[in-house]
Amino acid sequence: MVTTWRQTGFISTAMTVLILLILLVSSCATEAPRTAAPVDRDTIVVGRGEGDTLGQAMNSAKVDAIRQGVIAIIGEPAEVVHREELQMQLYNTRNPNAYVVNERMEILHRDNLGSIREPRYVMEIEIPVRLDVIRRTLDSLGITEVDDPEVAVTPGTPAAPAAPRLPEQIAEEDLYDGATSEQARFLQRYIQNMTYMVFYPEESDTDPVFLRQAVAQANSFLASEGYTLIDASQIERLRQDQEMIFEAEAQRDVSLVQWIAQRLNADVYLEVDVDVEGETQGDSHFGTANIIIRIYETSTAQLLGSVPFRSQRTFSRTGQRDAIGNAVQSAVFGAMPTAVQQAQNLLAQAYSRGIRYEMVLINTGDPRVISRMRTRLRDEVSDLVTISQTADETRYAVYFFGRIDELEDLMYDLSDRVAGMENLFLVMTRGKTITFDLGL
């Protein structure tokens, strides 16, 4: 029997198809290697953590991401009710990578709030959480959603940390109501480049160690966001070295902190008040912190607003003070974005008729010269209000769309145009207060 090349080609083709079918069937019957399940974008969360090493801070941030995954599945009320059980059975896991997609983690921020010898690292990460794995763990623990969303928290369980109430978005035309477009641009630049000072109340009953941790965390946030700030050690040195000068120089209605803020040219000062609680259960230590950040405008000490914040219940195996310290830093980290935004919005409204400066004129013996100067100055500034006037000294509140050195230049220009002001000279500037001697 003779086989032609056409028959041979047909047989070869048939054999090839048969082999491919066999391989395809066998590959379907064989279990495929396990790979990470695709993660929906909705499961990507931002986690924050702290620790003595970068590794500890990273693991703590992953646990925070896992906690958010739990809330996404069962809701915040149920997470609050079962907080202690979740802390022991899930949040204290030695392998948080089982609940997250580690390969897709992105580090957003990391910093050392301590020193080289005693570091205290903080880290913020963006990472997907494995909701399916978390759900299986919750099912094994018998933890499900709470039927009544208003369910009361069981005794001994900490309340969920209150998220800071973000100030409503204010339209730019409302922020700078009454200002021209040029004036609004000046205010926008001015407010974005304000200098902040953070301190704690002198009369606080809280351990100064926790108060200083709160100030350090607030300053760390400001520095990481690119804001100008005054170092806490500089404030402390000035407070200790010049308290006697303050008592002799300052008016009675000016607090020491406001006086320091003025001396250091801060535009805004934030007062961080802290109240802490700690608990120990065997080898486990827990801490919570309630804070209030009060925001003041330096020149007038006007209270612009306050931001309360309660931390999560933090855990530590090192000790109760360590757990409390973690809670303090966590609370401040959560409250600062709102505090800064609130300060900027409220100051923008307060400055809608210009930056408020206090001008002091000494040796003002001739009231006619002062009257002529006042009339001319009103034409050059947004507003002018007389605070006090004697033969020796006159004080004005000057509302001006410009920096204090520009106000100084304006006064020299007026001295060339107003008779009797030829001998005007600058005595000093401090914060938003400028003092001139008229030499009358």
Side-chain angles (χ1 to χ4, degrees):
M1 180 178 178
V2 178
T3 302
T4 66
W5 66 271
R6 296 177 184 271
Q7 292 173 317
T8 303
F10 175 81
I11 293 172
S12 298
T13 302
M15 289 294 294
T16 301
V17 172
L18 180 61
I19 291 170
L20 288 174
L21 287 172
I22 293 172
L23 289 174
L24 179 62
V25 171
S26 64
S27 66
C28 292
T30 305
E31 183 179 358
R34 297 184 64 183
T35 58
V39 181
D40 187 28
R41 287 290 302 178
D42 292 341
T43 62
I44 296 178
V45 299
V46 175
R48 300 176 180 87
E50 303 169 4
D52 295 332
T53 66
L54 282 173
Q56 290 178 8
M58 183 180 294
N59 279 349
S60 178
K62 291 176 182 177
V63 170
D64 183 50
I66 295 169
R67 184 187 66 82
Q68 295 179 58
V70 170
I71 292 174
I73 295 171
I74 64 175
E76 189 169 4
E79 196 272 342
V80 172
V81 170
H82 298 288
R83 180 76 56 80
E84 289 189 359
E85 185 178 6
L86 288 165
Q87 186 73 48
M88 301 300 295
Q89 302 294 334
L90 177 58
Y91 300 160
N92 288 345
T93 177
R94 294 179 180 272
N95 183 26
N97 290 342
Y99 301 92
V100 297
V101 183
N102 201 50
E103 299 79 9
R104 291 171 57 184
M105 179 184 71
E106 181 180 353
I107 297 176
L108 303 179
H109 172 75
R110 59 184 171 191
D111 197 8
N112 179 13
L113 301 183
S115 62
I116 295 177
R117 293 185 178 181
E118 296 181 358
R120 167 60 57 186
Y121 292 99
V122 295
M123 185 173 292
E124 185 176 15
I125 62 173
E126 185 179 81
I127 194 167
V129 292
R130 297 184 185 276
L131 294 183
D132 55 338
V133 179
I134 295 174
R135 190 185 297 276
R136 286 199 296 270
T137 301
L138 294 176
D139 290 343
S140 69
L141 297 174
I143 297 176
T144 58
E145 295 180 31
V146 176
D147 294 331
D148 181 5
E150 301 297 326
V151 64
V153 179
T154 55
T157 304
R165 193 171 192 177
L166 292 172
E168 295 181 6
Q169 187 63 33
I170 303 175
E172 186 169 320
E173 57 269 21
D174 295 328
L175 279 176
Y176 309 113
D177 186 30
T180 66
S181 57
E182 183 179 352
Q183 291 169 344
R185 285 193 296 272
F186 164 77
L187 287 179
Q188 193 171 34
R189 291 193 304 270
Y190 183 90
I191 288 170
Q192 286 297 324
N193 292 285
M194 290 189 304
T195 299
Y196 294 82
M197 188 186 94
V198 186
F199 206 57
Y200 53 82
E202 295 278 318
E203 67 279 3
S204 178
D205 295 328
T206 303
D207 189 329
V209 171
F210 299 132
L211 294 172
R212 293 189 184 99
Q213 284 181 337
V215 171
Q217 178 65 72
N219 283 337
S220 176
F221 170 83
L222 291 170
S224 68
E225 295 296 316
Y227 294 111
T228 305
L229 63 125
I230 295 171
D231 183 66
S233 60
Q234 186 180 1
I235 302 168
E236 189 65 37
R237 283 195 303 270
L238 187 62
R239 186 187 69 81
Q240 293 174 353
D241 295 344
Q242 303 201 29
E243 194 159 352
M244 292 181 62
I245 299 175
F246 160 73
E247 292 175 356
E249 178 182 312
Q251 299 175 2
R252 291 183 180 179
D253 58 347
V254 178
S255 68
L256 176 60
V257 174
Q258 183 193 357
W259 182 78
I260 291 173
Q262 291 175 345
R263 300 268 306 186
L264 297 176
N265 295 327
D267 296 288
V268 178
Y269 64 94
L270 310 179
E271 184 183 73
V272 184
D273 202 358
V274 181
D275 185 29
V276 299
E277 297 174 3
E279 181 184 0
T280 298
Q281 299 175 2
D283 294 334
S284 299
H285 308 279
F286 303 92
T288 55
N290 291 298
I291 69 164
I292 296 179
I293 300 179
R294 298 183 181 90
I295 309 159
Y296 295 91
E297 198 275 327
T298 300
S299 62
T300 61
Q302 176 187 357
L303 178 64
L304 298 175
S306 61
V307 179
F309 197 92
R310 178 178 174 84
S311 74
Q312 303 170 25
R313 192 184 192 209
T314 56
F315 169 81
S316 174
R317 294 197 183 277
T318 303
Q320 191 178 118
R321 291 181 65 83
D322 183 63
I324 292 173
N326 291 341
V328 169
Q329 295 181 43
S330 175
V332 175
F333 190 87
M336 279 301 291
T338 305
V340 170
Q341 186 63 57
Q342 195 172 100
Q344 292 181 347
N345 285 352
L346 294 173
L347 274 177
Q349 292 176 303
Y351 289 162
S352 61
R353 57 174 177 159
I355 309 299
R356 184 188 186 279
Y357 297 102
E358 185 165 317
M359 181 184 294
V360 181
L361 305 177
I362 59 176
N363 292 324
T364 54
D366 190 340
R368 290 170 298 183
V369 174
I370 297 302
S371 177
R372 289 195 297 268
M373 183 277 302
R374 187 170 54 235
T375 300
R376 291 291 186 90
L377 185 57
R378 277 203 174 100
D379 293 335
E380 303 289 345
V381 299
S382 178
D383 198 5
L384 180 68
V385 179
T386 302
I387 299 174
S388 63
Q389 184 171 355
T390 67
D392 297 323
E393 179 185 280
T394 301
R395 287 179 176 265
Y396 296 111
V398 181
Y399 295 87
F400 177 61
F401 287 98
R403 300 185 305 273
I404 196 166
D405 57 340
E406 293 174 316
L407 182 58
E408 179 188 353
D409 294 339
L410 175 60
M411 288 299 293
Y412 287 137
D413 181 62
L414 283 178
S415 70
D416 293 335
R417 292 184 281 137
V418 177
M421 288 186 63
E422 296 84 1
N423 297 323
L424 175 84
F425 63 92
L426 178 70
V427 176
M428 71 172 183
T429 58
R430 178 179 296 165
K432 289 187 175 63
T433 300
I434 186 167
T435 303
F436 292 96
D437 190 326
L438 264 68
L440 297 178

Short mmCIF file of all heavy atoms in Angstrom, two decimals, residues 337-366:
data_model
loop_
_atom_site.label_atom_id
_atom_site.label_comp_id
_atom_site.label_asym_id
_atom_site.label_seq_id
_atom_site.Cartn_x
_atom_site.Cartn_y
_atom_site.Cartn_z
N PRO A 337 -4.96 67.71 60.39
CA PRO A 337 -5.44 68.20 59.09
C PRO A 337 -6.65 69.10 59.21
O PRO A 337 -6.76 70.12 58.54
CB PRO A 337 -5.75 66.90 58.32
CG PRO A 337 -4.90 65.86 58.95
CD PRO A 337 -4.83 66.23 60.40
N THR A 338 -7.58 68.72 60.10
CA THR A 338 -8.77 69.55 60.31
C THR A 338 -8.42 70.87 60.96
O THR A 338 -8.95 71.92 60.59
CB THR A 338 -9.79 68.79 61.17
OG1 THR A 338 -10.08 67.53 60.57
CG2 THR A 338 -11.08 69.57 61.31
N ALA A 339 -7.51 70.84 61.94
CA ALA A 339 -7.12 72.07 62.64
C ALA A 339 -6.49 73.07 61.69
O ALA A 339 -6.81 74.27 61.73
CB ALA A 339 -6.16 71.73 63.78
N VAL A 340 -5.60 72.60 60.82
CA VAL A 340 -4.94 73.51 59.88
C VAL A 340 -5.93 74.08 58.88
O VAL A 340 -5.93 75.28 58.58
CB VAL A 340 -3.79 72.77 59.16
CG1 VAL A 340 -3.25 73.62 58.01
CG2 VAL A 340 -2.67 72.45 60.14
N GLN A 341 -6.81 73.21 58.36
CA GLN A 341 -7.80 73.69 57.39
C GLN A 341 -8.74 74.70 58.04
O GLN A 341 -9.11 75.72 57.43
CB GLN A 341 -8.60 72.50 56.84
CG GLN A 341 -9.56 72.88 55.71
CD GLN A 341 -8.83 73.40 54.49
OE1 GLN A 341 -7.96 72.72 53.94
NE2 GLN A 341 -9.14 74.62 54.07
N GLN A 342 -9.14 74.43 59.28
CA GLN A 342 -10.03 75.35 59.99
C GLN A 342 -9.34 76.69 60.22
O GLN A 342 -9.94 77.76 60.05
CB GLN A 342 -10.44 74.73 61.33
CG GLN A 342 -11.62 75.41 61.99
CD GLN A 342 -12.09 74.63 63.20
OE1 GLN A 342 -11.76 74.99 64.33
NE2 GLN A 342 -12.85 73.58 62.98
N ALA A 343 -8.06 76.66 60.61
CA ALA A 343 -7.32 77.90 60.83
C ALA A 343 -7.24 78.73 59.55
O ALA A 343 -7.45 79.95 59.56
CB ALA A 343 -5.91 77.57 61.34
N GLN A 344 -6.97 78.08 58.43
CA GLN A 344 -6.84 78.80 57.17
C GLN A 344 -8.18 79.39 56.73
O GLN A 344 -8.25 80.56 56.30
CB GLN A 344 -6.28 77.87 56.10
CG GLN A 344 -4.84 77.46 56.34
CD GLN A 344 -4.31 76.55 55.25
OE1 GLN A 344 -5.06 76.03 54.44
NE2 GLN A 344 -3.01 76.35 55.24
N ASN A 345 -9.26 78.62 56.84
CA ASN A 345 -10.57 79.12 56.42
C ASN A 345 -11.02 80.30 57.27
O ASN A 345 -11.50 81.32 56.75
CB ASN A 345 -11.61 78.00 56.51
CG ASN A 345 -11.48 76.99 55.38
OD1 ASN A 345 -10.72 77.20 54.44
ND2 ASN A 345 -12.21 75.91 55.47
N LEU A 346 -10.88 80.17 58.59
CA LEU A 346 -11.37 81.22 59.48
C LEU A 346 -10.51 82.48 59.40
O LEU A 346 -11.02 83.60 59.49
CB LEU A 346 -11.44 80.69 60.91
CG LEU A 346 -12.48 79.57 61.12
CD1 LEU A 346 -12.36 78.97 62.51
CD2 LEU A 346 -13.89 80.09 60.88
N LEU A 347 -9.21 82.31 59.23
CA LEU A 347 -8.35 83.48 59.08
C LEU A 347 -8.61 84.19 57.76
O LEU A 347 -8.53 85.42 57.68
CB LEU A 347 -6.88 83.10 59.20
CG LEU A 347 -6.33 83.05 60.62
CD1 LEU A 347 -4.89 82.59 60.61
CD2 LEU A 347 -6.43 84.41 61.29
N ALA A 348 -8.92 83.42 56.72
CA ALA A 348 -9.24 84.04 55.43
C ALA A 348 -10.45 84.95 55.57
O ALA A 348 -10.50 86.05 55.01
CB ALA A 348 -9.49 82.96 54.39
N GLN A 349 -11.43 84.50 56.35
CA GLN A 349 -12.61 85.33 56.57
C GLN A 349 -12.29 86.52 57.48
O GLN A 349 -12.76 87.63 57.25
CB GLN A 349 -13.73 84.48 57.17
CG GLN A 349 -14.27 83.44 56.19
CD GLN A 349 -15.31 82.54 56.82
OE1 GLN A 349 -15.07 81.88 57.81
NE2 GLN A 349 -16.50 82.53 56.23
N ALA A 350 -11.48 86.26 58.53
CA ALA A 350 -11.14 87.34 59.46
C ALA A 350 -10.31 88.43 58.78
O ALA A 350 -10.38 89.60 59.13
CB ALA A 350 -10.37 86.77 60.65
N TYR A 351 -9.51 88.03 57.77
CA TYR A 351 -8.64 88.98 57.08
C TYR A 351 -9.29 89.57 55.82
O TYR A 351 -8.61 90.17 55.00
CB TYR A 351 -7.34 88.29 56.66
CG TYR A 351 -6.41 87.96 57.80
CD1 TYR A 351 -5.38 87.02 57.64
CD2 TYR A 351 -6.53 88.56 59.05
CE1 TYR A 351 -4.52 86.71 58.68
CE2 TYR A 351 -5.68 88.24 60.09
CZ TYR A 351 -4.68 87.32 59.90
OH TYR A 351 -3.83 87.02 60.93
N SER A 352 -10.59 89.41 55.68
CA SER A 352 -11.25 89.86 54.45
C SER A 352 -11.14 91.37 54.25
O SER A 352 -11.27 91.86 53.13
CB SER A 352 -12.72 89.44 54.44
OG SER A 352 -13.41 90.02 55.53
N ARG A 353 -10.90 92.13 55.34
CA ARG A 353 -10.68 93.58 55.16
C ARG A 353 -9.22 93.96 55.40
O ARG A 353 -8.90 95.13 55.62
CB ARG A 353 -11.59 94.38 56.10
CG ARG A 353 -11.45 94.09 57.58
CD ARG A 353 -12.30 95.06 58.38
NE ARG A 353 -12.27 94.78 59.81
CZ ARG A 353 -12.58 95.67 60.75
NH1 ARG A 353 -12.91 96.90 60.38
NH2 ARG A 353 -12.54 95.34 62.01
N GLY A 354 -8.33 92.95 55.36
CA GLY A 354 -6.90 93.22 55.49
C GLY A 354 -6.31 92.57 56.73
O GLY A 354 -7.03 92.21 57.66
N ILE A 355 -4.98 92.40 56.72
CA ILE A 355 -4.28 91.88 57.90
C ILE A 355 -4.34 92.94 59.00
O ILE A 355 -4.11 94.11 58.75
CB ILE A 355 -2.81 91.56 57.57
CG1 ILE A 355 -2.71 90.68 56.32
CG2 ILE A 355 -2.13 90.88 58.75
CD1 ILE A 355 -3.38 89.36 56.42
N ARG A 356 -4.65 92.50 60.21
CA ARG A 356 -4.75 93.45 61.31
C ARG A 356 -3.37 93.65 61.95
O ARG A 356 -2.77 92.70 62.46
CB ARG A 356 -5.72 92.95 62.37
CG ARG A 356 -5.95 93.95 63.52
CD ARG A 356 -6.76 93.30 64.63
NE ARG A 356 -7.12 94.25 65.68
CZ ARG A 356 -6.32 94.62 66.69
NH1 ARG A 356 -5.08 94.15 66.76
NH2 ARG A 356 -6.73 95.47 67.60
N TYR A 357 -2.88 94.86 61.91
CA TYR A 357 -1.64 95.23 62.59
C TYR A 357 -1.95 96.23 63.70
O TYR A 357 -2.93 96.99 63.60
CB TYR A 357 -0.65 95.87 61.60
CG TYR A 357 -0.20 94.96 60.49
CD1 TYR A 357 -0.74 95.08 59.20
CD2 TYR A 357 0.75 93.98 60.71
CE1 TYR A 357 -0.34 94.26 58.17
CE2 TYR A 357 1.17 93.14 59.68
CZ TYR A 357 0.61 93.28 58.41
OH TYR A 357 1.01 92.45 57.40
N GLU A 358 -1.14 96.23 64.72
CA GLU A 358 -1.25 97.25 65.77
C GLU A 358 -0.10 98.23 65.60
O GLU A 358 1.07 97.83 65.62
CB GLU A 358 -1.22 96.62 67.16
CG GLU A 358 -1.47 97.64 68.27
CD GLU A 358 -1.81 96.99 69.60
OE1 GLU A 358 -2.59 96.01 69.62
OE2 GLU A 358 -1.27 97.45 70.63
N MET A 359 -0.44 99.50 65.42
CA MET A 359 0.56 100.54 65.24
C MET A 359 0.61 101.41 66.50
O MET A 359 -0.43 101.91 66.96
CB MET A 359 0.26 101.41 64.02
CG MET A 359 1.29 102.50 63.77
SD MET A 359 0.84 103.59 62.39
CE MET A 359 0.95 102.43 61.03
N VAL A 360 1.81 101.57 67.03
CA VAL A 360 2.01 102.38 68.23
C VAL A 360 2.84 103.60 67.85
O VAL A 360 3.93 103.46 67.27
CB VAL A 360 2.72 101.58 69.34
CG1 VAL A 360 2.89 102.44 70.60
CG2 VAL A 360 1.94 100.30 69.66
N LEU A 361 2.34 104.77 68.14
CA LEU A 361 3.06 106.02 67.89
C LEU A 361 3.38 106.67 69.24
O LEU A 361 2.47 106.88 70.05
CB LEU A 361 2.22 106.99 67.05
CG LEU A 361 1.70 106.46 65.72
CD1 LEU A 361 0.82 107.51 65.05
CD2 LEU A 361 2.84 106.06 64.81
N ILE A 362 4.65 106.93 69.51
CA ILE A 362 5.03 107.56 70.78
C ILE A 362 5.51 108.99 70.52
O ILE A 362 5.89 109.34 69.39
CB ILE A 362 6.11 106.73 71.51
CG1 ILE A 362 7.36 106.57 70.66
CG2 ILE A 362 5.58 105.37 71.89
CD1 ILE A 362 8.50 105.85 71.38
N ASN A 363 5.49 109.78 71.58
CA ASN A 363 5.81 111.20 71.50
C ASN A 363 4.88 111.91 70.53
O ASN A 363 5.31 112.59 69.59
CB ASN A 363 7.28 111.43 71.09
CG ASN A 363 8.24 110.98 72.17
OD1 ASN A 363 7.95 111.14 73.38
ND2 ASN A 363 9.37 110.44 71.78
N THR A 364 3.58 111.73 70.75
CA THR A 364 2.56 112.31 69.86
C THR A 364 1.95 113.55 70.53
O THR A 364 0.75 113.60 70.83
CB THR A 364 1.46 111.26 69.58
OG1 THR A 364 0.95 110.78 70.84
CG2 THR A 364 2.00 110.11 68.79
N GLY A 365 2.79 114.55 70.76
CA GLY A 365 2.34 115.72 71.52
C GLY A 365 1.39 116.62 70.78
O GLY A 365 0.52 117.26 71.39
N ASP A 366 1.49 116.76 69.48
CA ASP A 366 0.67 117.69 68.71
C ASP A 366 -0.51 116.96 68.10
O ASP A 366 -0.34 116.22 67.11
CB ASP A 366 1.51 118.36 67.63
CG ASP A 366 0.78 119.51 66.96
OD1 ASP A 366 -0.46 119.56 67.04
OD2 ASP A 366 1.46 120.36 66.35
#
